[in-house]
Amino acid sequence: MDPTIDSKLVSEPVETEKWKKKVQSPSYDLVSYKELPEYMKDNEFILNYYRVNWPLKEALFSIFRWHNETLNVWTHLLGFVLFLGLTVTNLIEVPQVSDLIAFFTRSLPMSGDINVSHHSRDLFVRTMTLVDLKPESDVTSVTRWPFFVFLAGSMFCLLSSSICHLFSCHSQHLSRSLLRLDFTGITTMIIASFFPPIYYAFECDTKWHFIYLGGITVLGLCTIVTLLSPALSTKKFRGFRALLFSSMALFGIIPGIHAVIINWSNPHRDVTLDYELTMAMFYLTGTLFYVSRIPERFKPGWFDLADHNHQIFHVLVVMGALAHYGASLVLMGWRDGHSC
């Protein structure tokens, strides 16, 4: 027998086996909307760059890859890091960092006497006047726990959202579980946002703490229980979910009007209202983007990687939370010098 032919016969099965292994080995490529399993078909205007059935390890490291969830992950992950930094700063009270944060969160002009902090004066006094809300040494600070409830709720929401967007490509079971975690995070953030303004605005009449904080907490728990239903996690009920979250936010109109009436003489009233109205504008605008799926609705496929509605929604949520953070600082600073 020809040794050349014999060597080909021997090597052919080996090469065939290598080819089979190559074909059968997983290749974690991005797929199109048409290739998605039904449970992942949420937005028909995002046409490409989906991850499907990725192992947890691959899903984790996809945080450094470009796909249509990359910016969804990073917008709220960076928001979580930001609020973690704000929390640590308020816990340890580093003056230099506090003044830098004040530049971004407490720079609205106010009527009445203005005291500019020493650290801010050197850097910003030529361009902007800052309100120093740090209490004087002889003034007893108001309790801070409602403020930290808000910060904790915000961090939980932002982190759970990032985790959901990062790992929901793993399996149907995990995707549904993470969606419920995401909805729970949103609800928790809304509930926690009520604590600082209601606690500090009604500190002299604590029965309203129980009425308003109890009311929003019960409403939030009902929302969470409702959203735990698998059916309500589908895209069919997208508008219904937005309605639930919006109704929780609109609940704040009643205590808001009440707080303005009883604190009408508060010199910080207008600044606080500006912050809270700004927060409402960010949240409402974000909800409209979330429901309408603008801009990708008008140009399907153009916004697959960047600038689609959910990314815009995420950015507006972080901005709204920062506006509420500013309002909380104003209220705490006022209560530090005006106890009951």
Side-chain angles (χ1 to χ4, degrees), residues 63-94:
I63 193 173
F64 302 112
R65 287 187 57 176
W66 270 110
H67 47 79
N68 57 28
E69 294 280 21
T70 301
L71 292 183
N72 286 335
V73 174
W74 279 103
T75 46
H76 271 184
L77 185 59
L78 292 176
F80 166 77
V81 173
L82 173 61
F83 271 84
L84 179 61
L86 293 175
T87 302
V88 172
T89 298
N90 282 277
L91 284 171
I92 63 177
E93 297 182 352
V94 179

Side-chain angles (χ1 to χ4, degrees), residues 89-219:
T89 298
N90 282 277
L91 284 171
I92 63 177
E93 297 182 352
V94 179
Q96 293 85 352
V97 180
S98 296
D99 286 342
L100 180 60
I101 295 169
F103 174 68
F104 294 102
T105 59
R106 297 183 290 192
S107 57
L108 291 179
M110 294 175 55
S111 59
D113 295 334
I114 296 177
N115 176 24
V116 182
S117 68
H118 171 72
H119 295 286
S120 300
R121 183 185 295 112
D122 295 337
L123 185 57
F124 302 124
V125 72
R126 295 180 181 274
T127 58
M128 187 174 293
T129 301
L130 302 179
V131 179
D132 184 10
L133 297 178
K134 295 188 287 295
E136 300 294 335
S137 57
D138 58 343
V139 176
T140 302
S141 297
V142 71
T143 181
R144 258 52 176 172
W145 71 260
F147 178 59
F148 288 109
V149 166
F150 159 64
L151 291 175
S154 299
M155 287 188 291
F156 175 65
C157 173
L158 296 170
L159 183 60
S160 61
S161 173
S162 296
I163 291 173
C164 176
H165 285 286
L166 185 59
F167 292 106
S168 59
C169 65
H170 173 67
S171 63
Q172 182 175 4
H173 174 73
L174 184 60
S175 176
R176 287 180 175 175
S177 298
L178 291 178
L179 275 175
R180 294 171 195 167
L181 176 66
D182 192 15
F183 298 151
T184 301
I186 296 171
T187 308
T188 301
M189 183 178 184
I190 295 174
I191 295 173
S193 297
F194 278 79
F195 275 75
I198 289 179
Y199 186 91
Y200 299 126
F202 298 100
E203 189 178 27
C204 299
D205 194 353
T206 56
K207 71 174 181 289
W208 295 111
H209 292 171
F210 176 79
I211 294 173
Y212 290 137
L213 293 179
I216 189 60
T217 301
V218 170
L219 180 59

Side-chain angles (χ1 to χ4, degrees), residues 9-44:
L9 291 175
V10 173
S11 62
E12 184 176 359
V14 176
E15 292 176 356
T16 303
E17 189 66 25
K18 289 182 180 178
W19 180 83
K20 286 182 179 180
K21 287 182 180 180
K22 183 178 180 180
V23 171
Q24 292 173 357
S25 63
S27 58
Y28 305 110
D29 296 325
L30 303 177
V31 302
S32 67
Y33 180 84
K34 295 179 180 179
E35 300 173 85
L36 294 176
E38 195 62 34
Y39 77 91
M40 292 188 70
K41 291 185 175 180
D42 178 66
N43 189 343
E44 63 272 22

